[in-house]
Amino acid sequence: MWFTKRQVVRPCSRLVVRKPCRRSLHANFTKSLDKSKRTLQHSSKFESGCSKLHRRCLSASATLTQEDEDLVDDHEKNEYERMNLYLAINSALDIALQTDPDAILFGEDVAFGGVFRCSVDLKDRFGSERVFNTPLSEQGLVAFGIGYAAMGKTAIAEVQFADYIFPAFDQIVNEAAKYRYRSGNQFNVGGLTIRAPYGAVGHGGHYHSQSPEAYFTHTPGLKVVVPRNPIEAKGLLLSSIRDPNPVIFLEPKAIYRASVADVPTGDYMIPLGKADIVKAGSDVTVVGWGAQMNVLAHACERAEQDLGVSCELIDLRTILPWDSDAVVQSVKKTGRLVVSHEAPKTSGFAAEISAVVQEKCFLNLEAPIQRVCGYDTPFPLVFEKMYVPDSLKNFEAIRRVMDY
């Protein structure tokens, strides 16, 4: 293997800080598949008490649009299996490794299944040369992925938490993103996909809760993808792995087990760069991505029940490139826009969406655009409930644009 023993045990102050935390994470997250089965049963009971719109965002039992259905092979279209989000990710990785003999999967603790179990059993199926652990060096594992992809092969890297992606920032934005451009399209690292769990989880604190997507949307040459449920996760991940550009694939860890759906068992892809209109409406456009879609579904449902407001709920799916046409056409119809994400408000991606809508829909707007986001502070531990942009905050934003 390409890592030496010295690199594995080389002392580093950052590793000393992270070891205790990582051990506790293993205790919390590295459970057996039996637990996943119990979780699926629990999630099914939980899902039965949810509204239709909530289920569409969280469990997505009917999420595949007609266009998405057409992407599923005819002979497999009617074959489904009950999966939560992490099992859907596992299924996508399994298919990617099966269909591409040059594909490899690597990262911190990936070989034994990862702390969220997304790669469980894959080492046994494909061998230690294709599914293997790396040292605790995000810069090193991403750099390795760039080199492997530069040879025309498929590199699927896992950064254990999106909060840890920053040591690899230079490799991602200065190497991976610019490789094709600086070589005049003679070389590229389009085979590189970087997976990372992101977002609030209820107890993650400063270093296990961040949403770093906006940092990468400022970088031409990358694609940034965030799924909201198992069906979307599998189709979008397979598209990301096969896309001819390097992709940052952010997985909402709060719903790894909570989000459950009947997922097609076969090989299918959902196009990158195309938003999904989760619910059509006429009064206000509500935009989000990832786990925030579940929050927004609750807010839209309450607005309809309490205020009689018809909300058009849009999941961007891909935020670089993002489907500005879908959002613009919606706002021209509704005249109002609410955008929400967990990341801090200042320079968050909601600001980009707001700017584009202001430029293209100025004469159509009936109220100021509302951004419902995290506060401009480090992510707090004990104050997480006050920090996150929950459904009530989004409901109040919908009320404000309607009352303006």
Side-chain angles (χ1 to χ4, degrees), residues 72-73 76 81 83 87-103 105 118 122 125-126 130 154 156 234-235 237-239 241-242 263-269:
V72 184
D73 293 337
E76 295 173 329
E81 182 178 332
M83 301 182 193
L87 290 174
I89 294 291
N90 181 271
S91 178
L93 294 171
D94 190 353
I95 290 173
L97 291 165
Q98 282 186 52
T99 56
D100 182 355
D102 288 329
L105 173 64
C118 291
L122 295 181
R125 293 198 61 182
F126 299 100
R130 298 187 64 196
T154 302
I156 308 169
K234 182 175 178 179
L237 180 54
L238 285 169
S239 293
I241 292 170
R242 294 163 178 170
V263 180
T265 58
D267 186 344
Y268 67 95
M269 297 190 296

Side-chain angles (χ1 to χ4, degrees), residues 94-171:
D94 190 353
I95 290 173
L97 291 165
Q98 282 186 52
T99 56
D100 182 355
D102 288 329
I104 60 172
L105 173 64
F106 54 94
E108 297 157 1
D109 302 322
V110 162
F112 81 87
V115 296
F116 294 105
R117 315 308 288 153
C118 291
S119 57
V120 69
D121 293 335
L122 295 181
K123 178 186 175 184
D124 294 337
R125 293 198 61 182
F126 299 100
S128 59
E129 293 299 314
R130 298 187 64 196
V131 180
F132 52 89
N133 291 333
T134 68
L136 303 184
S137 172
E138 290 75 21
Q139 183 182 24
L141 71 90
V142 170
F144 168 72
I146 291 171
Y148 190 77
M151 298 189 296
K153 301 181 184 297
T154 302
I156 308 169
E158 178 182 305
V159 174
Q160 197 169 84
F161 287 85
D163 311 65
Y164 300 160
I165 204 168
F166 300 113
F169 195 78
D170 176 65
Q171 289 294 321

Side-chain angles (χ1 to χ4, degrees), residues 84-290:
N84 56 26
L85 193 139
Y86 95 78
L87 290 174
I89 294 291
N90 181 271
S91 178
L93 294 171
D94 190 353
I95 290 173
L97 291 165
Q98 282 186 52
T99 56
D100 182 355
D102 288 329
I104 60 172
L105 173 64
F106 54 94
E108 297 157 1
D109 302 322
V110 162
F112 81 87
V115 296
F116 294 105
R117 315 308 288 153
C118 291
S119 57
V120 69
D121 293 335
L122 295 181
K123 178 186 175 184
D124 294 337
R125 293 198 61 182
F126 299 100
S128 59
E129 293 299 314
R130 298 187 64 196
V131 180
F132 52 89
N133 291 333
T134 68
L136 303 184
S137 172
E138 290 75 21
Q139 183 182 24
L141 71 90
V142 170
F144 168 72
I146 291 171
Y148 190 77
M151 298 189 296
K153 301 181 184 297
T154 302
I156 308 169
E158 178 182 305
V159 174
Q160 197 169 84
F161 287 85
D163 311 65
Y164 300 160
I165 204 168
F166 300 113
F169 195 78
D170 176 65
Q171 289 294 321
I172 296 170
V173 303
N174 275 334
E175 301 299 335
K178 297 175 173 61
Y179 214 94
R180 186 190 304 273
Y181 185 83
R182 70 188 178 99
S183 70
N185 202 29
Q186 295 182 73
F187 311 102
N188 68 82
V189 293
L192 174 65
T193 302
I194 302 171
R195 298 175 40 249
Y198 85 97
V201 71
H203 51 266
H206 296 27
Y207 301 118
H208 298 85
S209 306
Q210 297 176 75
S211 300
E213 64 269 21
Y215 290 100
F216 300 105
T217 60
H218 195 63
T219 307
L222 297 177
K223 291 190 177 183
V224 182
V225 181
V226 192
R228 75 174 184 269
N229 59 45
I231 293 177
E232 298 281 321
K234 182 175 178 179
L236 289 170
L237 180 54
L238 285 169
S239 293
S240 298
I241 292 170
R242 294 163 178 170
D243 193 87
N245 299 281
V247 177
I248 307 292
F249 190 86
L250 298 174
E251 300 165 8
K253 60 179 177 285
I255 58 173
Y256 265 137
R257 289 177 170 80
S259 183
V260 182
D262 294 320
V263 180
T265 58
D267 186 344
Y268 67 95
M269 297 190 296
I270 296 175
L272 304 186
K274 184 171 183 180
D276 180 27
I277 300 177
V278 178
K279 175 184 176 296
S282 57
D283 297 327
V284 56
T285 300
V286 181
V287 176
W289 51 87

